[in-house]
Every structure is written in C-alpha cells, then in structure tokens.
Amino acid sequence: MSQGLFYADSEAPIVSLSAKKHFDQLSSPDLQKYAHHLSRASFHGSRAVLDSVSPESPYIYDLILLIHEKLNQPHSNQEYIENLSGIDPQDVTYYLEYAAQFLDNLGNYKSFGDRKFIPRIGQDKLRQLIGKINDADVSELYAKVENQIYDTERGLLGYPDHGLLSNYYPHSATITKAEIDAVNQALSSAGIMPENTRVEKGDNQYKVLVASADSVDLYSKLNLQTDDGVKISFQFGDHAKDFSKIVQELENALPYVANETQQKLITFYIESFRTGSMAAHKKSQIEWVKDLKPEVESNIGFIETYRDPAGVRGEWEGLVAMVNHERTAKFSQLVENAGKFIAQLPWDKFYEKDTFTPPDFTSLEVLTFAGSGVPAGINIPNYDDVRLNYGFKNVSLGNVLSANPKNPKKEEVITFIDDQDLFKKWRDDAFEVQVGLHELLGHGSGKLLQETEPGKFNFDRSKTNVATWYKPNETWAGVFGANSGSYEECRAELVALYLILKDPTQVLPIFGIDSQQDQDDVMYIASLLMIRAGLLGLEFWDPEAKKWGQPHMQGRFAIMKQLHRAGVFEFKHSSPDFTDLKIVIDKPKLHDGTAVDALGEFLGSLHVYKSTANKDDGLRYYLEKSNVEDEYAKFRDVVIKEKKPRKILIQANTVLKDDGSVSLIEYEESEVGMIESYYDRKV
C-alpha cells in the first residue's frame, strides 16, 4: 500500500475551542475551582489513551514535548523555523503538522478512521532535524521510535491475528480473535466489566491488566479460566502513576461540589479509579444521571468501546463543560415533544420503552475533552441497565458544532456538490438538528426485550412470538459484539434524518427554522450532508482488509446506499476518473414519501433486530446494507484524492493561581499553539 495514503494532513484547519466567555460567567469561584480540578483529572488520563493505541505512542508524545522544551518553548511556527535554522522550513512545517495531528488524536492512529499516519517529512530529514536539536535525551528517545513512526505494515487498528494492531492487547501479536472472545466470555460469566482492561497473552495463561491507582487484586479469589481451561490472572495498577494523579485531583474537587449528588458522583469516581472497580463507575453514572442541569457538567472514565476490535474495552474520556443556556432552551423543547416524535418512528410500541423518561438534554461549551477526539454530541451512560432504570443524558457540544478557524488558511470548497452557498448557509443549522435528534431520539429510543432474571421478563411473552431476547446479564454490546457501535450509530443517524423528512413542520421550528422555504432548504441540506458523508466514508473502508475503520462512517455509507438504491439521488459525472463527480438529489423524493419509506424500512428492521437480540439476522442485514459493492468502491480513489483535512481543535488550560483563583489560558490557532497547550498540561 502506498505510503502516501498514510501521510499526516497538511494545512489542516486549526481552531481554538473557545470556552472563556462561559467559564468567566460561572456563578462562583468555587465552580471555577471545581471545573479546574475535574479538567486536570481528565487530562491525567491521556496516557491511558496513548497506551491503548500503539506501543510507540507514549514515546512519540514524550518526544514531541521534549523537542518543544529543548527548543526553548517557541511560541509560533516561525520561531520553530528560526530555532531550527539550516533545516528546510517546509520540513519543519511538515514536522509541526505531524506533531499537532498526533496530539489531536492522542496517538499515531487517527481517532476517526483508525488509520496510521506518518510525517510528510522524510525519515532521513527528520533524523537531521533531531540532530540539529543536539540533545542526548531527544536523540535517545527518537532512536526508540524512529522505525515505528514510519512503519505502515500494520496500518489499521484491529485484531492482531488479522495483521492489524491493537494495544488493548500489548505484547500479544499472536493473540487471536477466538482467544480474545474466550477471555471476554470468562470475564462476562464472572460479572467482570472489561471497559478498563487490557489483555496480555502469556505462556498458558492470559493476564488482564486493570487500570487503577492501587495494585490490590480485587479478583484474586476467582480462579478464573477460559472454557478450554486456560488460566486468567489479573494485574491491577495499569497506568497507576497517572491514576494516582487522577484520584488526587478528584479529591481536590470534592470541597467544591454543588450538592450531595455531585459528592456521591465524585466519591464513586475516586473509588473506581483508585481500585479499578467498574461496579463503582456504574454507581457514579447513576449519580451523574441524577445530577440535573449542573452549571459545570462532567463525565469521566472508560466510555466508548469503538477502538477495541472486540468492541468491549473502553477508551479514556474526560468531559468538563459549562451550560449554554440559550441553546439548551431549544433542546428542552425537543425533550418536551419527544414522546410525540417517538410515536412516529417505524416500529410497534411493543419495541419501545413502556414510559419514555425525558432525559436531561443540555447544550454545553466544552472546557475540556480529554481523549482521542472531540465529538459533537454525546448520549450516555452506556450501561444498558442504568439507561433503563435511571435514564440518561443527552449533551450537544455547542462550541464544537460551531468551531471554525478565525483565519482560514484557504477558501473552503465543498467537494462533490454544486450548491456551495446554500450548503454553507444551512449546514450548521442542519447539523445541530441532526445531532439533537440523533442523541435524544436515536440513542434514547427503543427497548431491549430481556429476561431480567431466570423466568422473569420485561415484556409480555404472551403478546409476541419473538424467538430471541437478551438473557440475564447480557448487554446489547456484548451480544452484537464489535459491530454494535457502528450498528447503533447507523440506527441513531436514521432516526434523525427520518424525523427531519417525515415531520419537518413540527421538528424544525423547535430550532428556529420556521418558514416553508427554510424548512425545505434544511431538509435538502440535511439529506445532502448525510449522503455526502456516506460517500466520504469510503476513505475509511479498507478494500484489502474488507474492514470499516470508523463506525459512524460505515453507518452513513449504509444510509447513502439505501437512499441511492431508492432513487432519491444519483451520481453525475462525465470524467472516467470521476474527478467531476457530483451528488444530485431528486428533491421531490424528499417530500413524496420515497426517502422516508426507504429510511423507515432500514430503520425499522435495524431496531427490531436490536430490540430482540437477534444478532444473526441483524448483523447479516446490517453488513449487507453497509457492504461496499463495485458501483461504490470505484469512487474511493477520487474521495481520497479530494479529501480535506479534519479540523484540529486546541483546548484551553486552567491554572490555579497562588491567591486561590483560577485563570483560563487559550492558545494561538497554529500547530505550535496545539503543542503549547499540551506542554502546559504536563501529563
């Protein structure tokens, strides 16, 4: 495979994720201190992310920060170039672009797509740059990772026995999918949640590494083994140094909690991160759901399981944010109307919760999002029983939705469409509606039919002939496995677009889109956004491995394909290399039921398969829908050729001053600004 496919982005838009206005508006100094300590706790988990990506990622991280230090902490790209005089300025720029992208992804694999990226500066020239710094520590650290930085043999994250890489299984290049599944089954049978674990394969045993500050083995008395008799041991204290810092910062936050619920929340966090108990983390999420409309919102832990090829091990995330009251008012109105919209979704009420409990739905301005990437919206917690019994929260991240560079490096051209002005006019509004419906009614809808304990069910078996359901202690992700994340993201995306097209006169006015012309425009742009995203998703499909590298894009491709097969749009081109490829929507079909029926058929089927734990039929159906046939694969080369770099988001830091007050520091929108923001965190 050509190394060019792996080059780090060049001239990526760099955006300061500004939160100063809302941080300064917090109602008390104690709230600022609370946010500060939670931010520090969140960022101290960064090395857990690095360790889960690749063996070399922690060393590259240290190298980038050490280079910055040894060059006397330059404050601009130009200062870097001046401090490295004698090195081609373009090569210095290529290094800085790689460093900024590495920090943005917290590793040398893209968080969005799981593909490795390497510097555009050649290996020999980077060696010269390192030599120019003339520092023994820098040279020693670089020597440890030089070859790994440029090696693209295992260019995707995935199962090691498939020729891919996953550092959720460190030092275990020979571990197989079957062996991973066997360990997961043993953990599940023992009631051990695996989100905060990694697994090493040894001689005639597996070692489960558990993230915690303490090294006390909570499971020493279990004598656990796989079904075929291989011993499973536990080693607590994975990332112990960092988790001790996390615990300390959470203890520092305790005096500044706003209420008893927050006190319980932080206390359970401390227990979980100190001992490695995921049961304590689940308790924290119950308290988090109960903590309604706090001024400072935070959720911390091993949350999403997308990057583990088995789909069960989580990646560290730490969110700290302030409420945007104006935007939250819109979402509150959406919550009030949720029951009415859910009734329009294409499945029988038998497959819906008996009572929809309106969640807390807020628009937040992100102060901190520690992890490998910042989403636009969140619907958590992911524990099925907590969602069912206590509820969940929907969060829209306002300053992420509206993040655009103050001084763009070049004029933006939207690929594969003709309606440039209309698209730019309405895309933010259409995306805000999409995110709101996706999180609230997509992830928030539906009932899992379950045998809650032997012989007891959460549904009336006499009223249905369903043959499958969730057994006691089974979870949605556990049953549907590695494809569960993509499957669910597709279902949530379908809910959003389905409702936008089915009931625009009820949905869109909630977001201030009132006139028929504006509603027609948003229906069109929302559809165009989804279809174009599906086309762009081809970048994240590997034709050799036949593997999707990004769950959201797999789902969006499947939706695009469904609409294409229904005749809602067509691809127009005259050039044999598709360089003039355009998406052309048949607008009447957005209004006459064609698009709604196509989306409804797809959505209803996905939902019922999920609700009934029908893994075999559900995955067969979904994987066929997201299969990339030749009529779509032929566009992949032009998609890659025309791809635009993703935005790099620079987050602020907070500093506790000697007088006890907290100040917020924001950074220049440049590659060096990104490096400075991480250097100042000292994690």
Side-chain angles (χ1 to χ4, degrees), residues 6 21 24 54 59 62 87 112 154 166 179 199 357 408 443 445 478 494 548 576 609 631 661:
F6 297 96
K21 172 185 172 183
D24 290 345
S54 69
Y59 297 108
D62 289 337
I87 304 296
F112 201 84
R154 291 193 289 173
S166 177
E179 289 172 327
V199 178
T357 304
H443 293 311
S445 62
L494 281 163
W548 279 98
Y609 288 138
E631 66 177 304
S661 64

Side-chain angles (χ1 to χ4, degrees), residues 198-412:
R198 300 190 293 160
V199 178
E200 285 186 354
K201 178 183 177 182
D203 295 332
N204 300 315
Q205 75 160 349
Y206 302 104
K207 183 189 293 181
V208 176
L209 310 178
V210 183
S212 62
D214 293 347
S215 58
V216 177
D217 185 348
L218 299 181
Y219 308 133
S220 58
K221 297 179 180 179
L222 291 179
N223 296 317
L224 207 60
Q225 61 183 27
T226 63
D227 287 343
D228 55 359
V230 181
K231 180 183 177 182
I232 298 174
S233 64
F234 294 88
Q235 180 178 306
F236 283 71
D238 199 17
H239 321 298
K241 180 179 178 182
D242 304 300
F243 272 60
S244 295
K245 295 176 182 177
I246 291 168
V247 168
Q248 182 60 62
E249 289 294 351
L250 290 170
E251 289 176 340
N252 293 342
L254 268 177
Y256 306 112
V257 297
N259 51 53
E260 184 180 354
T261 301
Q262 284 184 4
Q263 183 174 24
K264 291 179 180 178
L265 164 67
I266 302 301
T267 301
F268 283 130
Y269 278 156
I270 291 169
E271 179 185 351
S272 177
F273 304 142
R274 174 179 286 140
T275 68
S277 167
M278 286 302 296
H281 190 265
K282 181 182 282 191
K283 291 177 182 177
S284 78
Q285 298 304 278
I286 293 171
E287 299 303 324
W288 182 71
V289 170
K290 294 177 182 177
D291 187 27
L292 299 178
K293 302 191 185 306
E295 279 195 68
V296 174
E297 183 65 279
S298 181
N299 196 281
I300 305 174
F302 292 90
I303 308 298
E304 302 294 353
T305 59
Y306 299 136
R307 302 189 90 181
D308 171 24
V312 299
R313 290 177 175 81
E315 186 173 64
W316 176 266
E317 289 180 4
L319 165 69
V320 184
M322 292 75 64
V323 174
N324 181 321
H325 294 285
E326 182 179 350
R327 276 187 166 178
T328 296
K330 297 180 186 178
F331 293 123
S332 298
Q333 193 177 349
L334 186 62
V335 169
E336 291 171 9
N337 288 275
K340 177 175 66 177
F341 294 136
I342 286 176
Q344 298 184 45
L345 295 173
W347 53 78
D348 188 275
K349 63 181 180 180
F350 182 80
Y351 302 104
E352 191 51 65
K353 298 182 184 75
D354 299 328
T355 303
F356 180 77
T357 304
D360 190 23
F361 198 160
T362 52
S363 179
L364 302 177
E365 303 296 307
V366 174
L367 172 63
T368 296
F369 198 100
S372 64
V374 187
I378 306 170
N379 178 288
I380 45 180
N382 290 332
Y383 302 115
D384 293 332
D385 52 344
V386 175
R387 295 172 69 87
L388 180 64
N389 296 317
Y390 298 93
F392 53 91
K393 287 186 186 180
N394 290 275
V395 171
S396 173
L397 305 180
N399 55 344
V400 178
L401 284 167
S402 59
N404 286 298
K406 299 182 183 73
N407 298 298
K409 295 180 179 180
K410 56 176 64 175
E411 182 182 355
E412 183 183 26

Side-chain angles (χ1 to χ4, degrees), residues 185 188 310-312 384 470 473-482 484 615:
Q185 178 59 44
S188 178
V312 299
D384 293 332
Y470 293 86
N473 298 319
E474 283 187 340
T475 64
W476 144 249
V479 170
F480 278 71
S484 61
K615 171 187 175 182

